[in-house]
Amino acid sequence: MLHPYEPYFKTFLNHFTPYKGFWCYEDGVILKGAIDLYEVTNDEFYWHFLEAYLNEFVDEAGDLKGYTASEYNIDHLNAGKALFFAYEKTKDARYLKAIRKQMDQVHHHPRIPAGNFWHKKRYPHQVWLDGLYMALPFYAEYEHKYNGHVGYADIYNQFKTVEAILRDEKTGLYYHAYDDSKSMFWANQETGLSENFWLRAEGWLLMALVDTVDQMSETIFEYHKGLKDLAKRAITDILPFRDEATGMWWQVIDQGKRAGNYVEVSGTAMVAYAILKGIRLNILDDALKEVAIEALAGILTTHGYEEKGQLHIGGIVCVAGLGEFEGVRRDGSYAYYISEKVVADEAKAVGPLMSAYAEYLKGIN
């Protein structure tokens, strides 16, 4: 049922061009997907892709192409997850040097008073769900492997603060972002919250939770168990908003078939990944496996198409955010989220699809 995915991924990687030409989160989700597929298939194709990429982007001093820690851009930490795998496989010191340089950003990154990282230096006082995925699994893996779990409380508290502030009690869904200063035009002046529940933002959160659980030592029971419980709540709460016809989730999660809304690929892939990995980590009941598989099949059925004999996957929102960006006033409204460009074969969907498919293979092997 899902067999078209692996040839699709290999074609994508064979034609892959770095997203921005410098160390960036978009490339990071592709690297993570390649690692996940390599671990389950042992196919050297995926390792060779990863190795070639890192040879271009990591120099002998451990400096990362185009990366400057003092920009305090939380997105730039995401690709660093690949460095742990590469170091363990090769013992090449440049990878460990690069990990430590990225941890320098973590140690100095500005925060809101409650302790959560700012999304970016140019987005001060703001916490976005996206940033949890970019930073916290990387931070947790470093703490688990190289720092004696010292930062576990910090990591756990950042998730708990987001749950306390950004989770809607009525639906269980999470708002896209929070402005602690309550000064941004997109933020509610009383709560600081953005207006809507954007699927990919919630997808980042769900992936952050299961990946961080995976990196945390079970011996630190309070934090490990607490994050498993948080992940179970968050994943369970998004399930009722699934489109029954396609098995997918909507771009604006709770607005269903409202005019202009559509079932979106990247966020659906992220939810499917979180479900399948959550089952493997004993966070979720095995009965949910069919929900994830139906979602992955629904992506192919709904948004897969052939062109010149090659499979493509559309239905991917290219980007969405908050604040002024390239002349666009991103106000977090329903109209804004459905106005963003929809594209095919985009990294922010293909990477999570690779990871979700790898979890599917782990479940049947």
Side-chain angles (χ1 to χ4, degrees):
M1 179 169 56
L2 302 180
H3 66 274
Y5 273 122
E6 192 155 359
Y8 170 76
F9 298 144
K10 287 190 171 181
T11 299
F12 179 90
L13 295 179
N14 276 328
H15 294 90
F16 179 77
T17 300
Y19 201 90
K20 294 174 177 172
F22 57 82
W23 193 249
C24 66
Y25 83 93
E26 294 92 344
D27 289 357
V29 294
I30 298 298
L31 300 179
K32 172 71 162 55
I35 290 168
D36 290 345
L37 284 169
Y38 177 70
E39 289 182 327
V40 71
T41 66
N42 293 313
D43 187 336
E44 291 296 318
F45 170 86
Y46 297 110
W47 166 245
H48 293 323
F49 168 81
L50 179 69
E51 185 179 38
Y53 181 93
L54 294 177
N55 283 340
E56 178 181 349
F57 281 81
V58 187
D59 70 15
E60 290 303 315
D63 290 324
L64 301 164
K65 187 177 180 180
Y67 170 77
T68 304
S70 60
E71 289 181 358
Y72 296 118
N73 184 332
I74 207 80
D75 288 343
H76 293 341
L77 296 173
N78 181 54
K81 299 166 189 175
L83 299 168
F84 293 99
F85 176 82
Y87 178 65
E88 288 166 11
K89 184 169 177 62
T90 67
K91 298 305 178 186
D92 188 328
R94 64 189 167 126
Y95 298 132
L96 185 57
K97 291 175 185 176
I99 289 168
R100 297 192 186 283
K101 289 183 179 187
Q102 293 219 268
M103 275 305 300
D104 186 64
Q105 176 183 335
V106 172
H107 290 145
H108 296 94
H109 202 95
R111 301 171 181 243
I112 64 170
N116 286 67
F117 297 132
W118 287 6
H119 192 58
K120 300 178 184 179
K121 186 177 180 180
R122 62 189 178 92
Y123 295 151
H125 315 291
Q126 299 172 36
V127 177
W128 297 17
L129 296 182
D130 318 33
L132 301 178
Y133 178 76
M134 305 304 162
L136 297 185
F138 172 84
Y139 185 6
E141 188 162 5
Y142 179 82
E143 291 298 322
H144 176 60
K145 292 176 175 175
Y146 304 121
N147 203 40
H149 312 153
V150 171
Y152 274 16
D154 180 24
I155 294 164
Y156 178 72
N157 289 335
Q158 292 200 46
F159 278 114
K160 290 297 290 181
T161 297
V162 162
E163 182 185 40
I165 295 175
L166 281 83
R167 182 178 181 270
D168 175 56
E169 290 187 7
K170 182 179 179 181
T171 62
L173 299 175
Y174 284 70
Y175 293 97
H176 186 173
Y178 166 71
D179 172 25
D180 195 63
S181 72
K182 301 179 176 63
S183 64
M184 293 300 297
F185 63 85
W186 53 259
N188 182 293
Q189 293 190 355
E190 293 184 6
T191 66
L193 294 168
S194 58
E195 184 180 347
N196 281 288
F197 309 115
W198 177 42
L199 177 60
R200 188 151 76 212
E202 184 123 2
W204 292 128
L205 168 69
L206 300 184
M207 293 201 302
L209 283 164
V210 295
D211 284 357
T212 304
V213 168
D214 196 23
Q215 295 303 333
M216 272 196 169
S217 170
E218 293 185 34
T219 61
I220 314 299
F221 179 79
E222 176 186 355
Y223 302 136
H224 190 267
K225 175 65 164 55
L227 280 185
K228 287 179 72 172
D229 291 345
L230 202 164
K232 184 174 183 177
R233 284 193 296 276
I235 296 169
T236 301
D237 285 341
I238 201 173
L239 297 178
F241 298 94
R242 186 172 70 123
D243 174 49
E244 293 295 331
T246 63
M248 297 176 64
W249 280 266
W250 299 91
Q251 161 76 343
V252 182
I253 304 171
D254 64 330
Q255 298 296 305
K257 295 180 180 179
R258 182 176 172 182
N261 208 7
Y262 57 95
V263 287
E264 197 275 329
V265 168
S266 69
T268 294
M270 292 173 177
V271 178
Y273 168 75
I275 291 171
L276 292 169
K277 189 165 186 175
I279 292 168
R280 181 166 62 84
L281 297 178
N282 297 314
I283 296 171
L284 302 170
D285 190 278
D286 190 67
L288 287 176
K289 183 180 295 183
E290 286 306 311
V291 172
I293 293 173
E294 286 175 10
L296 294 175
I299 288 170
L300 291 173
T301 302
T302 308
H303 290 297
Y305 64 94
E306 282 197 10
E307 191 173 272
K308 297 180 180 178
Q310 175 59 47
L311 175 65
H312 298 275
I313 297 175
I316 305 164
V317 62
C318 186
V319 68
L322 296 161
E324 296 282 352
F325 182 71
E326 296 183 348
V328 177
R329 185 176 172 85
R330 307 185 302 179
D331 62 1
S333 65
Y334 177 82
Y336 162 69
Y337 283 114
I338 65 167
S339 74
E340 283 285 11
K341 185 178 180 181
V342 179
V343 298
D345 307 325
E346 211 272 350
K348 294 185 287 293
V350 179
L353 275 172
M354 292 166 70
S355 293
Y357 183 70
E359 288 295 333
Y360 163 74
L361 293 178
K362 290 174 184 179
I364 63 176
N365 286 349

